[in-house]
Amino acid sequence: HPQPHHPHSRAGAAAGAAGAGSSLSQGDILGAKPVASPPPAVVSHQVHPLEDPLLSALQLAGGKHHHHHHHKPKPAPPGPPSPPTTPKGPWLFNSLSCHRVEVVEVPAALVPAGAHVAQWSAAPAAGSSTSSAGGSTALVMVSLPALSFVPVFASITSAAVAAGGSGAAAGGGGAGVTSLGQWVDVGVDGARAEAVTAANGDTVYQMANRLVKVTFDAQGRLVSLYDRVWQRELVPEGEAGNRFKLYEDRPIFWDAWDIEMYHLETARDAGVTTQVEITESGPLRAALTFSAQITPTSTLHQTITLTAPSARLEFITRVEWHEDRTALKVEFPWALLADSATYEVQFGAVSRPTRPNTSWDWARFEVCAHKWADLSEPDYGVALLNDCKYGHATHGATQRLTLLRAPKWPDDNADQGTHAFRYGLLPHASVWQAGGVVAAGMAFNTPPLLLGGGVAADGLLSGLPAQPLLQVLPKAPSPYANPLGCLVVDTLKLAEPVIMPVPAGAGAAAAGGGASGSKGGADVRGVPIIVRMYEHQGCRGGARVVAADCMAIEAAYQCNLLEDELQELPVVGSGREPTGVDIQYTPFQVITLKLWLKRQDDDM
């Protein structure tokens, strides 16, 4: 069963473009009371921002907006900003195309002294000096503009207190830290979890925030998913989701590649849950953990989390797998009626019927999808997200995800051992285009990048713009209002150097290459970057790609995937206006632009 490659942008150089309303000031941090959100984001905090080539190029092209005054002598290029004397702590980079609000995990070693942490995710670490009552990982809620660097912690300013009241009022005795000031107090609407007794006398486990209320039984099965905003119950009465099923998996040929339709006739429930406990209960995140002996030789351990500002449920799963020609799936039955389901593929989405009527339909009993599969009625739906499992199926109103297999050829020990993976659920209003499903799938797979910080990093990152580095603004309003806007910026990177042929008899200096538009190997057009976008909703229209104030575009070209310049595009904006490029797009079109950014040392 082959698994397609995820179209992720590279870390630290992924793209981000947002709608006109998504520009927030750098450091617009929400760190106050009961709040929580998508997945924890501890990605390599040892990465140093100075080592990223794209960041170095943006520094070269950065600075204040350039204005041409050729009659004035060229001033000396501005030096780097003066570094602060005290580190601000770690920084976060949002590499996505949209603004996002996340609850991130920050190792205790990176939490500045004196910072109040609203919730710790674990018991106190041995020898921890941050807080005698704290754990090893701090949970912090942050608001991240698209493609922006933001400090996680900063001092509480008078502006912040004025915006949200005193520390005690806004954060419950000084809870939370904010930068450049916005307090958020969600009060009783924070994420929480509790064990309650159901009407039949059984113990059930509930997690809730201001958006949803979910209930799990003592087997870790989802027996209720209630949307508190739209007042919709998604789980049919008497049924349960997050149900694990085992299937005989014996293809006629090609064990590791094929999966046959008749395997669906061999389903049986997987094992018995041995332990359920509430491991976190807010205010930023609630968590329920259980273990199950799914077969005599295989075990499953799962933590289910809900964060305060998000309706998304996350299932963090670890399996010890020792089976023979057996498939493990998880299924979710829904109170929805739809004749087709939608699955994400690279740079788009495809629909497949939920009830087979033809031989072609029967042959599509499982679909290779990338980050999500969605089942929606015209006004409401639910998306099943994943981070590394691509075998989706929707039969009637039941969604399934293939988690593990155990083929015996060509490798007799294929897939044996420990597996760690995540999947999630996102209930949403309207259809998938307007429900934010694409943005949720991207956020689920690409957590914010946590950078270690320090005085040197503060000096460099503080000089970057307090706005998204790049935005894509629609020319006209769209019927699908979603966080990503009209186009997804999938890739933002340095342009590849053009390999120039070396004339016969030329010296070694002629082989230097240089970027397109160079003369004698000397770059005359500044810093070239590549922006690759795609239309993700099946729509057409026009948009303007706008660079941040600090990055003046001096030339723009539409390219192919090999970055060959095909057509020059006029650059709009001048003087004190941000520079940009106008483009037209068609349904699911992939667009690649090469933007030449003016260097700091050019005429000013």
Side-chain angles (χ1 to χ4, degrees):
H1 188 55
Q3 297 179 344
H5 174 65
H6 254 296
H8 292 327
S9 315
R10 71 182 184 87
S22 65
S23 292
L24 301 182
S25 61
Q26 180 183 11
D28 185 13
I29 301 295
L30 315 181
K33 209 148 170 228
V35 183
S37 110
V42 178
V43 188
S44 179
H45 63 269
Q46 298 176 343
V47 175
H48 199 286
L50 292 170
E51 298 173 357
D52 188 271
L54 178 63
L55 180 57
S56 301
L58 294 179
Q59 284 289 316
L60 180 63
K64 295 185 178 179
H65 193 68
H66 304 292
H67 313 284
H68 292 281
H69 302 288
H70 293 289
H71 60 281
K72 294 183 179 180
K74 179 169 34 172
S82 300
T85 56
T86 302
K88 292 182 180 179
W91 291 68
L92 286 170
F93 176 56
N94 178 18
S95 64
L96 294 189
S97 308
C98 56
H99 167 260
R100 63 204 291 195
V101 177
E102 301 272 355
V103 169
V104 300
E105 290 184 349
V106 179
L110 297 180
V111 177
H116 178 88
V117 175
Q119 182 179 348
W120 294 89
S121 69
S128 172
S129 60
T130 305
S131 170
S132 59
S136 59
T137 304
L139 299 182
V140 182
M141 181 177 171
V142 294
S143 175
L144 302 172
L147 235 177
S148 295
F149 291 87
V150 175
V152 180
F153 297 98
S155 300
I156 300 176
T157 63
S158 57
V161 175
S166 66
V177 189
T178 189
S179 171
L180 303 183
Q182 183 172 354
W183 282 96
V184 170
D185 180 12
V186 298
V188 295
D189 291 329
R192 63 189 186 277
E194 59 181 347
V196 299
T197 302
N200 61 2
D202 293 341
T203 298
V204 296
Y205 301 86
Q206 293 181 343
M207 297 193 294
N209 60 17
R210 62 186 178 86
L211 301 174
V212 295
K213 181 179 180 180
V214 296
T215 304
F216 291 86
D217 66 11
Q219 298 297 314
R221 296 175 298 193
L222 178 67
V223 295
S224 174
L225 173 50
Y226 182 72
D227 189 316
R228 303 173 74 176
V229 176
W230 298 100
Q231 302 181 28
R232 290 283 299 257
E233 173 59 61
L234 274 168
V235 181
E237 186 175 357
E239 299 197 47
N242 201 40
R243 184 189 294 268
F244 296 99
K245 297 267 187 150
L246 295 168
Y247 297 79
E248 268 190 53
D249 184 16
R250 296 179 180 272
I252 299 174
F253 304 107
W254 315 114
D255 265 23
W257 289 270
D258 290 355
I259 187 167
E260 303 290 350
M261 183 176 63
Y262 55 74
H263 84 282
L264 296 173
E265 302 172 2
T266 66
R268 65 187 190 276
D269 285 331
V272 178
T273 299
T274 58
Q275 181 181 2
V276 179
E277 63 176 327
I278 295 171
T279 50
E280 293 179 344
S281 187
L284 298 183
R285 189 172 69 190
L288 177 69
T289 299
F290 71 88
S291 300
Q293 188 75 40
I294 55 178
T295 73
T297 56
S298 299
T299 58
L300 180 146
H301 182 83
Q302 188 170 81
T303 298
I304 307 165
T305 63
L306 175 69
T307 54
S310 175
R312 191 186 75 202
L313 276 174
E314 180 177 343
F315 300 80
I316 306 166
T317 311
R318 184 181 183 90
V319 180
E320 286 292 336
W321 185 246
H322 303 283
E323 300 302 317
D324 181 358
R325 290 189 171 94
T326 301
L328 175 67
K329 298 174 183 274
V330 63
E331 66 177 37
F332 295 90
W334 303 122
L336 294 169
L337 180 62
D339 58 6
S340 65
T342 307
Y343 305 86
E344 191 199 41
V345 296
Q346 190 171 28
F347 301 135
V350 297
S351 294
R352 295 288 182 262
T354 58
R355 293 170 177 82
N357 290 307
T358 68
S359 59
W360 286 18
D361 295 341
W362 282 108
R364 295 183 288 190
F365 60 89
E366 185 160 292
V367 182
C368 287
H370 279 199
K371 296 185 284 294
W372 53 266
D374 184 85
L375 183 66
S376 292
E377 294 177 344
D379 64 339
Y380 199 86
V382 63
L384 176 57
L385 314 174
N386 79 85
D387 73 340
C388 62
K389 302 296 179 183
Y390 311 124
H392 286 266
T394 306
H395 297 152
T398 298
Q399 285 185 306
R400 292 190 182 96
L401 180 63
T402 300
L403 303 177
L404 292 170
R405 300 181 66 217
K408 290 300 177 183
W409 188 87
D411 181 2
D412 190 59
N413 293 312
D415 295 343
Q416 303 297 302
T418 303
H419 296 261
F421 50 86
R422 296 159 50 239
Y423 55 91
L425 293 175
L426 179 73
H428 60 84
S430 191
V431 291
W432 66 269
Q433 292 96 330
V437 173
V438 178
M442 294 173 65
F444 191 74
N445 283 266
T446 313
L449 183 66
L450 184 64
L451 306 172
V455 172
D458 290 347
L460 174 62
L461 297 177
S462 296
L464 290 174
Q467 65 182 125
L469 297 176
L470 202 72
Q471 299 184 78
V472 180
L473 309 180
K475 290 281 190 72
S478 169
Y480 296 130
N482 65 72
L484 284 168
C486 54
L487 295 173
V488 175
V489 180
D490 180 79
T491 302
L492 175 64
K493 71 180 192 70
L494 291 176
E496 298 297 324
V498 176
I499 301 176
M500 305 291 288
V502 181
S516 175
S518 63
K519 295 181 180 179
D523 186 354
V524 297
R525 287 191 295 182
V527 179
I529 64 171
I530 294 295
V531 181
R532 182 165 295 122
M533 304 164 285
Y534 69 96
E535 199 288 318
H536 64 292
Q537 302 175 128
C539 301
R540 66 180 70 238
R544 175 169 292 183
V545 181
V546 180
D549 292 342
C550 72
M551 301 191 304
I553 301 173
E554 62 176 356
Y557 294 85
Q558 188 158 350
C559 302
N560 57 22
L561 294 180
L562 297 177
E563 303 179 13
D564 298 323
E565 296 175 0
L566 304 179
Q567 178 186 359
E568 186 170 7
L569 303 174
V571 177
V572 297
S574 60
R576 296 186 179 276
E577 293 292 326
T579 53
V581 179
D582 290 334
I583 57 174
Q584 297 292 318
Y585 58 86
T586 56
F588 301 117
Q589 182 183 4
V590 180
I591 300 173
T592 302
L593 301 180
K594 181 182 287 186
L595 305 180
W596 292 83
L597 307 181
K598 184 178 289 294
R599 292 175 179 269
Q600 271 190 336
D601 55 0
D602 286 350
D603 291 341
M604 300 180 68

